[in-house]
Amino acid sequence: MTKHIASLPATLDLMTAAARGYQLPPAPLQAIVDTARAPALSLSPRRDLAAMVQTPPLPAISVVAQPELKLAGMRINPRTYSSSQFSFGTDLCLLDIATQKEIPLAGLPDGLRIADLSWAPDQRHLAFSHIAHADEAGGAAGVELWLLDVAARAVRKLSAQPLSAVYGRGFWWLPDSQGLLLQLKPAGLGQAPLASGIPSGPSGQDSQPGAGARQLRTYPDLLKNEEDALLFAHYVTAQLARIDLAGGIRTLGAPDQFSGVAIAPGGRYFLTSSIVRPYSYMVPASSFGKRIEVRDMDGTVVHTVLERPLEEGLPPGNDAVSSGVRSVSWRVDAPATLVWVEAQDGGDPAVESAVRDIVYMRAAPFDGAPQVLARLGSRYAGIAWGRSDLALLTEHWYKTRALKQWRIAPDAPEREAELIYAGSSEDRYQDPGSPVMRSDAAGFPRLLIGPGSTILLDGAGASADGDRPFIDRFSLESKQKERLFQSAAPYFENVVAVLNDDGSRLLATRESPTERPNYFVRETGADGIPRWTALTRFPHPTPQLIGVQKEQIRYRRADGVDLTATLMLPPGYEAARDGPLPMLMWAYPQEFKSASAAGQTTGTPYGFNAVGYWGPAAFLAMGYAVLDNPSFPIVGHGEQEPNDSYLAQLVADAEAAVDEVVRRGVAERHRIAIGGHSYGAFMTANLLAHTRLFRAGIARSGAYNRTLTPFGFQMEERPFWSAPEVYQAMSPFNNADKIKDALLMIHGEQDSNSGTFPIQSERMFQAIKGLGGTARLVMLPNESHAYRARESIMHMLFETNGWLDKYVKNALP
């Protein structure tokens, strides 16, 4: 039964209903929850077919409540030896791009539950994992590997031995498309160790001097004792194997605690990442000791790349990284060349160093000295590989938001790198776009390079008028750009894939305020005129709300910072005739280093007026006006950190939003609620503590006492002991006595998000209740940071609707 606690008799109507268990909201909200969802598409390597996977309805609480292990920061399904997952593809077909026709498939298993899928590089097959339930005939639950023969239009189970999918999907195509590398549940693994319930002794932890300051974030689901450690080791142990297309399996080496696999482009080697002891009770498995090795295709270790010990925390700062070798991968344009990065400042951004990172590479047989590929003044952020003389390397420094992209020649690393772009990662208006990549014959992504070393750039096209996605052709030689495509009113068009080499044929989604996104092929002929061909015709998901009105509005904060929001109004509403409505605002603060970036427009006026259950738009169906995603920037200028003036800026953001909707006549000051999820919930509680702008707040899955996250939160880099006044001032828990308006808090009982432990909501409610305030706490069983079960979502809307009706809809001045 859902847990409910109320602080005042005024909430007894909600409490009485909730005592009967999960409740349903009014019918208009139920209809939004149960709306059919559009299928997902996976484009084939040759870009002439797509796998269409049906997205199922929300799972029942009986599914979400199935056994789940919480070990070392991971959530594991013990029945299937896979990571916990509650949404699966329930149908599969192919879509022919040329004819726009769906192709049915024979042989799909009953009760299909697709977890992952992957095309073979040659497109003749598609592999997918199916989560099988235990059946009455004795079939065991597990992750099964199935294979689609594209020419035959038929599927079959490829392996009788279940996959291990605790880490990753458990299967990877070989570059020649003739088989796959698998991560199997070992045949001789045996039963999971059973907890005795009797402790063998206390659990101990030590801290030694001289290690230097480390950021130890607050993580959930950590190991607690040796019994947990043994259970974790059992479930992450896997057996590597090769399987051919006929189903013949050959095991490779011995089982190990594998956490990652990467096949070399030439198909002769693969990388494995393994977890090693000792484990930790302080950090998740991602920080446990790690061993990275190169193996041949018989599974024999031929080279050890890295042996990293347990790493309990990093130096302070968002630019901190591990010392030593990190980011190990393969060079995509070579058969077997390792690439990795090593910090030159010990991974500590506080250490002055002209060179922060060095990127190295070493080719098979891995016995020569490593070559320096690049020396960077900030942190390595990835490489887009093209060919032997052309790749694009990106570096970034979060502290200043400085972003640089370099042209490098992988086969001539001594050649001086050429700067292609330098700017700010938060400046959306100047973003040139991301290079378009194309899978090569072995299935690896490479730059799509045209004549004269031209590449294609795919960008969001942010501007003061909203987002207008584009495709540019960019010459790396002349630095000239040619715009090949840009979204144009009255539609919002977003490129999914470039279908040919010159960018004249695109797969895109197209939508308008009254038309949901559908897939189209956009082709520009010799006459230069673009033609759109519909691939899908998904109907409007909520036709009862087709008349919803939406406007992208601009307004200004008192200090001159420009702000943006999406104003949504119910169908048929006219301000002059109907007057102001009760309003729900829904926001999420964001940190910036410049006021100009903070004031940039986000979103588009031409996007679909989607009404979903997760955000605030659902309450349009109940007669509320909605201000969705109003800008709540928190700006830090120069050496000042954004959070140094968090409260003043937060209040200014809220005042500007309230003033604007009142000025427009769509809302009135005494009938506005504020809400948010996670950091938005934190914002909500702070606004109720420091203003009387809102009659009620809706806070979901939030954190309210920042001393419980003492080594940083959100993008705050400083630990509590370096900025105690900031932590104290920003914590609404410290100001619970000032909360005079009604606060509804909803939280998943099993929140897996770092920092938003359920105790945050429990203690905040206890404080408000003890101080005589108006609050309600709803704890959703078996739910995590985001809620998954249909019953939970329905109950969330029931509670929210009841709270808004009680405290906002008919509120008096």
Side-chain angles (χ1 to χ4, degrees), residues 177-192:
S177 299
Q178 298 306 302
L180 300 101
L181 191 62
L182 305 183
Q183 195 168 265
L184 299 172
K185 177 185 174 184
L189 187 60
Q191 296 296 313

Side-chain angles (χ1 to χ4, degrees), residues 353-550:
S353 179
V355 175
R356 293 283 182 180
D357 278 350
I358 295 181
V359 185
Y360 293 99
M361 59 182 180
R362 176 186 278 152
F366 318 111
D367 53 3
Q371 288 183 288
V372 174
L373 183 59
R375 290 180 169 86
L376 307 176
S378 54
R379 292 294 181 225
Y380 170 79
I383 295 178
W385 300 99
R387 60 193 187 205
S388 62
D389 67 335
L390 198 166
L392 298 177
L393 183 151
T394 303
E395 61 175 308
H396 182 243
W397 194 249
Y398 176 81
K399 185 76 171 180
T400 60
R401 312 303 198 266
L403 182 73
K404 294 180 180 179
Q405 189 174 70
W406 302 88
R407 176 181 177 174
I408 60 173
D411 268 2
E414 71 283 355
R415 188 181 303 169
E416 184 176 355
E418 180 184 5
L419 184 64
I420 299 298
Y421 171 78
S424 170
S425 59
E426 65 181 17
D427 186 354
R428 299 179 71 248
Y429 287 2
Q430 300 303 317
D431 185 353
S434 301
V436 172
M437 309 298 286
R438 172 73 54 79
S439 291
D440 62 16
F444 290 83
R446 297 172 72 164
L447 289 167
L448 180 57
I449 303 172
S453 295
T454 59
I455 61 173
L456 299 181
L457 297 173
D458 182 355
S463 71
D465 298 323
D467 291 353
R468 295 181 58 205
F470 65 82
I471 294 289
D472 280 349
R473 181 183 290 120
F474 176 65
S475 170
L476 292 168
E477 304 297 341
S478 69
K479 309 301 183 289
Q480 297 299 306
K481 289 183 181 179
E482 176 189 1
R483 183 134 299 177
L484 304 180
F485 157 79
Q486 184 155 30
S487 176
Y491 294 103
F492 178 70
E493 299 149 342
N494 199 23
V495 175
V496 177
V498 176
L499 298 179
N500 62 356
D501 291 346
D502 65 7
S504 62
R505 193 163 182 261
L506 308 173
L507 175 64
T509 57
R510 194 182 208 194
E511 60 191 276
S512 74
T514 59
E515 299 169 287
R516 80 180 299 172
N518 268 288
Y519 290 92
F520 286 78
V521 172
R522 181 191 188 272
E523 191 157 12
T524 303
D527 56 5
I529 299 174
R531 293 170 178 82
W532 293 82
T533 303
L535 282 181
T536 61
R537 291 175 174 81
F538 306 136
H540 196 293
T542 51
Q544 71 275 23
L545 295 171
I546 197 169
V548 162
Q549 304 167 57
K550 181 181 72 177

